[in-house]
Amino acid sequence: MALVEYVSGKTFVGSRSARGYEFGRTYVVRPKGKHQATIVWLHGLGDNGSSSSQLLESLPFPNIKWICPTAPSRPVSLLGGFPCTAWFDVGEISEDLHDDIEGLDASAAHIANLLSTEPTDVKVGIGGFSMGAAIALYSTTCYALGRYGTGQPYTINLRATVGLSGWLPGWRSLRSKIERSNEATRRAASIPIILAHGTSDDVVPYSFGEKSAHSLGMAGFRQVVFKPYEGLGHYTVPKEMEEVVHWLASRLGLDGSR
């Protein structure tokens, strides 16, 4: 069995807080075999890194180290200000959804900090579910642009992104931002992304998954795969997780994935 351990979010020097909110425990699932890749996996609204680590520990991918942080507990507009674990503030999931750039940047910086100490020969990526997928995709746009929303440099060399049942923050302006820079265009074209969404999702509508994939493609992200799951609601199933992580292992060229 893989070793699962946790470390306090406070132990990662330089990790930004989200408006003073402390990030929770970070759980790590150590690889059973040769360490070839590290993936930060991000939970959904109200969840925690422990449940993510339990899910990922059961997957048969011995060369991946999984880092499962826990979001800060904060008031959430969608819940009428009720506090729960959330990577950023979010209101009603709609076409007019307001992006909490400060919260997005703080969480993206925390995630980048978790990856900053990985060995140089290890490929790194980000994945997540629901709100976790949203912050994974936001981090990917920061990678392509080379900077956070605040303009601070983003320095992690992401190699793959997974987004399950989520959405793309900042989709309206993404294309224009990418097209301003040849380097951003190159980076966007280079990173593999897989999005999966249940057709019966009643929390983050299926159309948001489709729109996210379309917006990424229009912005120059040329390696986007979108997988619909017929009848699936706002949850994951073993088949989805195994197919998605098989894709991840294949794209990262991990042992035994070809």
Side-chain angles (χ1 to χ4, degrees), residues 19-70:
R19 295 194 191 92
Y21 303 123
E22 287 289 346
F23 289 89
R25 288 178 172 179
T26 295
Y27 295 78
V28 178
V29 181
R30 301 285 177 187
K32 302 181 186 77
K34 181 183 178 183
H35 182 197
Q36 295 180 305
T38 296
I39 308 296
V40 173
W41 191 266
L42 306 158
H43 63 75
L45 181 66
D47 209 343
N48 58 64
S50 176
S51 60
S52 298
S53 68
Q54 292 170 36
L55 170 69
L56 297 164
E57 186 187 16
S58 66
L59 295 175
F61 296 93
N63 306 116
I64 300 177
K65 171 184 172 182
W66 301 95
I67 301 177
C68 305
T70 300

Side-chain angles (χ1 to χ4, degrees), residues 36 207 218:
Q36 295 180 305
S207 61
M218 292 297 292

Side-chain angles (χ1 to χ4, degrees), residues 3-258:
L3 173 64
V4 180
E5 60 190 48
Y6 81 82
V7 290
S8 166
K10 297 178 184 177
T11 63
F12 292 94
V13 178
S15 179
R16 305 177 189 181
S17 63
R19 295 194 191 92
Y21 303 123
E22 287 289 346
F23 289 89
R25 288 178 172 179
T26 295
Y27 295 78
V28 178
V29 181
R30 301 285 177 187
K32 302 181 186 77
K34 181 183 178 183
H35 182 197
Q36 295 180 305
T38 296
I39 308 296
V40 173
W41 191 266
L42 306 158
H43 63 75
L45 181 66
D47 209 343
N48 58 64
S50 176
S51 60
S52 298
S53 68
Q54 292 170 36
L55 170 69
L56 297 164
E57 186 187 16
S58 66
L59 295 175
F61 296 93
N63 306 116
I64 300 177
K65 171 184 172 182
W66 301 95
I67 301 177
C68 305
T70 300
S73 182
R74 71 173 81 210
V76 177
S77 297
L78 178 65
L79 306 178
F82 184 82
C84 73
T85 52
W87 299 109
F88 51 92
D89 188 30
V90 64
E92 183 181 355
I93 308 294
S94 71
E95 292 286 341
D96 301 319
L97 182 66
H98 171 72
D99 291 319
D100 171 21
I101 297 299
E102 185 181 353
L104 285 161
D105 272 354
S107 288
H110 181 70
I111 296 157
N113 198 53
L114 294 173
L115 289 170
S116 65
T117 56
E118 290 303 293
T120 55
D121 62 339
V122 168
K123 299 169 183 176
V124 300
I126 304 178
F129 172 76
S130 191
M131 174 180 266
I135 190 65
L137 290 174
Y138 180 76
S139 295
T140 305
T141 64
C142 292
Y143 159 74
L145 293 167
R147 56 182 170 80
Y148 296 96
T150 57
Q152 295 295 315
Y154 186 93
T155 58
I156 301 300
N157 183 26
L158 292 181
R159 300 294 295 272
T161 301
V162 176
L164 309 183
S165 306
W167 70 94
L168 173 65
W171 62 271
R172 292 181 184 85
S173 59
L174 181 59
R175 181 178 180 179
S176 63
K177 290 178 179 177
I178 295 290
E179 289 178 345
R180 290 178 201 152
S181 163
N182 289 336
E183 180 62 17
T185 301
R186 183 194 68 77
R187 288 187 178 189
S190 71
I191 184 166
I193 302 171
I194 187 167
L195 305 181
H197 216 110
T199 60
S200 298
D201 194 325
D202 58 354
V203 177
V204 180
Y206 175 77
S207 61
F208 277 73
E210 285 189 313
K211 180 181 285 293
S212 297
H214 177 73
S215 298
L216 286 165
M218 292 297 292
F221 291 83
R222 304 195 184 282
Q223 298 188 58
V224 179
V225 174
F226 180 70
K227 285 182 68 71
Y229 282 82
E230 192 66 36
L232 185 66
H234 194 67
Y235 50 86
T236 63
V237 291
K239 179 175 182 284
E240 178 189 30
M241 285 300 299
E242 289 185 14
E243 287 181 351
V244 165
V245 183
H246 268 296
W247 172 92
L248 182 64
S250 176
R251 297 313 300 260
L252 293 178
L254 305 186
D255 289 349
S257 63
R258 295 176 181 83

